[in-house]
Amino acid sequence: MAEVDNKQVIFKRYIDRLPEETDMEIKVSKIKLEAPKGSGAFLVKNLYLSCDPYMRGRMRDFRDSYIPPFVPGQPLEGFGVSQVIDSDNPDFKPGDLVSLITGWEEYSLIHRTEQLRKIQPDDIPLSYHVGLLGMPGFTSYAGFFEVCSPKKGEFVYVSAASGAVGQLVGQLAKLHGCYVVGSAGTSKKIDILKNKLGFDDAFNYKEERDLDAALKRYFPQGIDIYFDNVGGEMLDAALLNMRIHGRIAVCGAVSQQSFSKPRGIFNGFNLISKRIRMQGFLQHDYLHLYPRFLEDVISNYKQGKIVYIEDMNEGLDSAPAAFVGLFSGKNVGKQVIRVAHE
Amino acid sequence: MAEVDNKQVIFKRYIDRLPEETDMEIKVSKIKLEAPKGSGAFLVKNLYLSCDPYMRGRMRDFRDSYIPPFVPGQPLEGFGVSQVIDSDNPDFKPGDLVSLITGWEEYSLIHRTEQLRKIQPDDIPLSYHVGLLGMPGFTSYAGFFEVCSPKKGEFVYVSAASGAVGQLVGQLAKLHGCYVVGSAGTSKKIDILKNKLGFDDAFNYKEERDLDAALKRYFPQGIDIYFDNVGGEMLDAALLNMRIHGRIAVCGAVSQQSFSKPRGIFNGFNLISKRIRMQGFLQHDYLHLYPRFLEDVISNYKQGKIVYIEDMNEGLDSAPAAFVGLFSGKNVGKQVIRVAHE
């Protein structure tokens, strides 16, 4: 079989700062569009790739984490939606659609089937399988229901609230009967939070000189649940505004520029006086709940009770900029790269 | 009835730094040794007073905490063991021994009976009712069993390990089948931890230039449970050494000199990657467990499976220095003031 061009986004070097476009490069290599006999692998055409903030953790030269670092000279990898083209695995046949961990390239040879799901034909947009129905959506679900221990009527604050995770957290909290306020960094996002995602209120943190004062304004009675996607200064301000027995789900720290020199957290005293539970989590500890999650969210989506905002970039060439943009909040909603049309 | 002298330790002024002896003064006032008719109160002679680090929180001019600040010009107050002298309350009669919140003075008129327990005659030292069987002991019990979710065989680290709370945490953890290492600030305390309290190992944190390296030496496999009594730098080092799904019970921050300018915590990233639960707590949220606690601990004490180290100061005059000494680790074991002999 003839080889074809395979455009790739190559990871160039380890960093301990915010990613820049020059940490990646576009390269074209060659690939045979077949799964080698006896390999048990299958070959996919990548349709959608997910840009997620956690990926910068894989750009560090640090092996003691839950996921290994990227390999310099190799394509980045992440969640994606792909179509099987050729298969040496009896469970997958050409035409099958899968959500999986795949390479940032046009075609990938897939050996591992962990965290891989076959997508059944449905009227839900395919790209939602890396967002609403994928890792970010499930992060919202597991984090909100399993970590936050929410009760009806509680006051919930979500930072990075229009992002891939935050937007669903807020909607789940509303469906659960909570009062929900979100923060984000542009007036467009604030408008989306209030008018499309159904948050009770929202504010632009970039327009607030004093985050503590802002939270006191939006939560005069205090915060029961803080779903933290940003860390740093906002987390510190939230600690000052938590209610007794409040819970903080520590999901991400996208505000932090560096792993080795983070801004400190100074208001930890509140943990004791307010008996706060602050808990880090990763969605993959809760995978036993995935079927229930899919059922719940798909049902709510089909009834129009949940919506999902995507920011779709076209083509692999746009991937480095889209990924880098996550850390300055350039994306409006879940950032996805469309590699090829379905 | 004639008035008698009532020596008192008066709280002088609000502070936001470590307490100093001059923040208190000894004064002698007069008191009638009777409970006014119709008051429902009773008059006690204070026998033992408890010096506890949390009390400095009451020296701040800060009303938004779980306990109100001290009143300048009035005696300090805290846990104590006292004997009823006169009573206008039918539930208490002269001669009764009680553990309660009382004034730092020779005699106190007691109006409130919350957090007050009658002490049944027993062969346990009376002063243990402000230590092993009192608030600090119950803090250890509730914190270890309810907050730390311990499992047999887990690796437990306790800071300020020879203190009022730490010493019981370590012993409970040993009885539960855990591997326990404690830290403290003098070689005498390290000796007590290893040879009297049964810790598996112990180290003097003041002799360690690199706390992270010290913890890696004592916990090559990492820490499942960190019972944090000190906060600050040690908490940050522990965060680096927690195992996946580790738990941190945030009990105190005695290392911190100031509430308004604490040292920051910089290693919070580990909360996510290791899925750590970090939880502040106060013993009084768990008072429903107090009867079970008393039964368990008294039984273990009587079987010689639990011991308790006290640092006993004689006389109210010694109270300010004893209290201030808590914050430099001068006390060896639970700091108590003997106000009067039984």
Side-chain angles (χ1 to χ4, degrees):
Chain A
M1 185 179 278
E3 290 188 322
V4 299
D5 281 354
N6 188 20
K7 192 182 278 190
Q8 300 179 306
V9 181
I10 299 295
F11 174 61
K12 282 173 73 179
R13 68 180 74 87
Y14 291 121
I15 55 169
D16 180 50
R17 50 163 168 74
L18 290 186
E20 295 169 7
E21 289 186 50
T22 53
D23 300 323
M24 295 159 270
E25 68 183 339
I26 306 290
K27 213 181 100 180
V28 178
S29 69
K30 295 285 183 185
I31 189 168
K32 276 191 189 170
L33 294 184
E34 65 180 5
K37 287 277 177 299
S39 66
F42 55 90
L43 192 103
V44 298
K45 180 179 183 182
N46 295 314
L47 304 178
Y48 295 101
L49 294 175
S50 180
C51 291
D52 296 299
Y54 84 89
M55 294 170 67
R56 73 162 161 155
R58 303 191 67 183
M59 292 182 144
R60 302 166 71 196
D61 187 13
F62 180 69
R63 270 141 234 283
D64 191 23
S65 187
Y66 61 96
I67 191 165
F70 291 137
V71 179
Q74 296 291 314
L76 283 81
E77 55 176 45
F79 290 97
V81 171
S82 310
Q83 185 153 37
V84 177
I85 291 183
D86 187 45
S87 175
D88 186 55
N89 181 325
D91 295 335
F92 297 91
K93 60 178 197 305
D96 281 354
L97 290 165
V98 288
S99 84
L100 76 177
I101 291 179
T102 190
W104 277 32
E105 55 194 350
E106 292 177 283
Y107 302 100
S108 300
L109 189 64
I110 303 298
H111 291 273
R112 289 173 309 169
T113 54
E114 306 112 50
Q115 302 216 46
L116 184 149
R117 288 180 306 111
K118 254 193 229 193
I119 299 173
Q120 303 309 325
D122 201 327
D123 48 2
I124 293 179
L126 258 192
S127 58
Y128 279 22
H129 289 273
V130 295
L132 179 64
L133 304 178
M135 182 278 287
F138 186 56
T139 298
S140 313
Y141 189 87
F144 183 66
F145 289 112
E146 300 299 310
V147 180
C148 295
S149 312
K151 288 191 280 289
K152 194 177 161 172
E154 287 194 319
F155 296 94
V156 175
Y157 171 50
V158 187
S159 54
S162 66
V165 173
Q167 60 176 304
L168 184 57
V169 172
Q171 293 179 86
L172 293 173
K174 281 304 299 172
L175 288 170
H176 200 69
C178 299
Y179 179 84
V180 187
V181 178
S183 60
T186 68
S187 55
K188 182 177 175 186
K189 293 177 183 179
I190 301 310
D191 179 61
I192 288 173
L193 288 170
K194 292 203 267 196
N195 300 315
K196 287 199 174 151
L197 296 167
F199 282 58
D200 291 294
D201 215 334
F203 66 95
N204 183 344
Y205 72 92
K206 289 183 180 167
E207 289 176 354
E208 300 291 342
R209 284 178 48 198
D210 179 341
L211 295 177
D212 175 31
L215 289 175
K216 285 190 167 45
R217 214 162 64 235
Y218 287 94
F219 293 98
Q221 301 97 332
I223 300 167
D224 292 298
I225 291 173
Y226 172 39
F227 197 102
D228 178 24
N229 292 308
V230 302
E233 198 183 349
M234 187 63 90
L235 173 55
D236 242 355
L239 278 163
L240 293 174
N241 288 282
M242 296 304 290
R243 302 180 87 183
I244 286 172
H245 296 135
R247 289 132 270 152
I248 300 176
V250 186
C251 180
V254 77
S255 77
Q256 295 300 293
Q257 313 239 330
S258 150
F259 288 96
S260 59
K261 290 197 179 57
R263 179 192 182 279
I265 296 300
F266 298 88
N267 295 326
F269 277 122
N270 293 275
L271 291 175
I272 303 176
S273 58
K274 296 175 181 165
R275 297 86 104 183
I276 296 168
R277 169 159 57 82
M278 183 164 161
Q279 188 165 350
F281 73 101
L282 292 172
Q283 52 88 26
H284 67 57
D285 286 336
Y286 301 90
L287 290 176
H288 57 287
L289 302 175
Y290 214 95
R292 198 180 82 191
F293 152 74
L294 279 182
E295 197 179 313
D296 279 10
V297 171
I298 289 174
S299 157
N300 277 303
Y301 174 76
K302 289 192 172 172
Q303 293 172 65
K305 292 183 185 168
I306 281 177
V307 298
Y308 200 65
I309 314 283
E310 285 183 328
D311 194 330
M312 186 67 74
N313 271 40
E314 294 292 333
L316 267 181
D317 293 305
S318 73
F323 177 63
V324 166
L326 292 175
F327 301 95
S328 58
K330 233 175 116 181
N331 56 308
V332 179
K334 165 65 191 163
Q335 180 69 59
V336 185
I337 311 295
R338 194 195 321 264
V339 184
H341 283 265
E342 300 163 28
Chain B
M1 182 177 281
E3 290 188 323
V4 300
D5 281 355
N6 189 21
K7 191 182 279 189
Q8 300 180 306
V9 182
I10 300 294
F11 173 61
K12 282 172 72 179
R13 67 180 77 84
Y14 292 121
I15 55 169
D16 181 50
R17 49 161 169 75
L18 289 187
E20 296 169 6
E21 289 186 50
T22 52
D23 300 323
M24 296 159 270
E25 68 183 339
I26 306 290
K27 214 182 98 180
V28 178
S29 69
K30 296 282 183 188
I31 190 168
K32 277 191 187 169
L33 294 185
E34 64 181 6
K37 288 277 179 294
S39 66
F42 55 91
L43 193 102
V44 297
K45 179 178 182 184
N46 295 314
L47 305 177
Y48 296 101
L49 294 175
S50 181
C51 290
D52 296 299
Y54 84 88
M55 295 169 66
R56 73 162 160 156
R58 304 190 67 183
M59 293 183 144
R60 301 164 71 195
D61 187 13
F62 179 70
R63 271 141 234 283
D64 190 23
S65 188
Y66 61 97
I67 191 164
F70 291 137
V71 179
Q74 296 293 313
L76 283 81
E77 55 177 47
F79 290 97
V81 171
S82 310
Q83 187 153 38
V84 177
I85 290 181
D86 187 45
S87 175
D88 187 53
N89 181 326
D91 295 337
F92 297 91
K93 58 178 198 303
D96 280 355
L97 291 164
V98 287
S99 83
L100 76 177
I101 290 178
T102 190
W104 277 32
E105 55 192 351
E106 292 176 283
Y107 303 99
S108 301
L109 188 63
I110 304 297
H111 292 273
R112 288 173 310 167
T113 54
E114 306 112 49
Q115 301 218 47
L116 183 148
R117 285 181 306 112
K118 255 194 229 193
I119 297 173
Q120 304 309 325
D122 202 328
D123 48 0
I124 293 178
L126 259 191
S127 58
Y128 279 22
H129 289 273
V130 295
L132 179 64
L133 305 178
M135 181 279 287
F138 187 55
T139 298
S140 314
Y141 189 86
F144 183 65
F145 289 113
E146 300 299 310
V147 180
C148 294
S149 311
K151 287 191 282 288
K152 194 177 161 173
E154 286 194 318
F155 296 94
V156 175
Y157 171 51
V158 187
S159 54
S162 66
V165 173
Q167 59 176 303
L168 184 56
V169 172
Q171 293 180 87
L172 293 173
K174 282 303 300 172
L175 288 169
H176 199 70
C178 299
Y179 179 85
V180 188
V181 178
S183 60
T186 68
S187 55
K188 183 177 176 186
K189 293 177 183 180
I190 301 310
D191 179 60
I192 288 173
L193 288 170
K194 292 203 268 196
N195 300 316
K196 286 199 174 153
L197 296 167
F199 282 59
D200 291 294
D201 215 333
F203 66 94
N204 183 343
Y205 72 91
K206 289 183 180 166
E207 289 176 354
E208 301 290 342
R209 285 179 47 197
D210 180 341
L211 296 176
D212 175 32
L215 290 175
K216 285 189 167 47
R217 216 163 62 236
Y218 287 94
F219 292 98
Q221 300 95 334
I223 300 167
D224 292 298
I225 291 173
Y226 172 40
F227 197 102
D228 179 24
N229 292 307
V230 302
E233 200 183 347
M234 187 63 92
L235 173 54
D236 241 356
L239 278 164
L240 293 174
N241 287 281
M242 297 303 289
R243 300 180 88 184
I244 285 173
H245 296 134
R247 289 131 270 151
I248 300 176
V250 187
C251 180
V254 77
S255 76
Q256 295 300 292
Q257 313 238 333
S258 151
F259 289 96
S260 60
K261 289 197 178 60
R263 177 192 182 280
I265 296 299
F266 298 88
N267 295 327
F269 278 122
N270 292 274
L271 292 175
I272 304 177
S273 58
K274 295 175 181 166
R275 296 88 103 184
I276 296 168
R277 170 158 58 81
M278 184 163 161
Q279 189 165 349
F281 73 101
L282 292 172
Q283 51 89 25
H284 68 57
D285 286 337
Y286 300 91
L287 290 175
H288 57 287
L289 301 175
Y290 213 94
R292 199 179 81 190
F293 152 73
L294 280 181
E295 197 178 313
D296 279 11
V297 171
I298 289 174
S299 157
N300 277 304
Y301 174 75
K302 290 192 170 171
Q303 295 172 63
K305 292 183 184 167
I306 282 177
V307 298
Y308 201 65
I309 313 283
E310 284 184 328
D311 194 329
M312 185 69 73
N313 271 41
E314 294 293 333
L316 266 181
D317 293 305
S318 74
F323 177 64
V324 166
L326 292 176
F327 301 95
S328 58
K330 233 175 116 182
N331 57 307
V332 179
K334 165 66 192 161
Q335 181 68 60
V336 185
I337 312 294
R338 195 195 319 265
V339 183
H341 283 265
E342 300 163 28

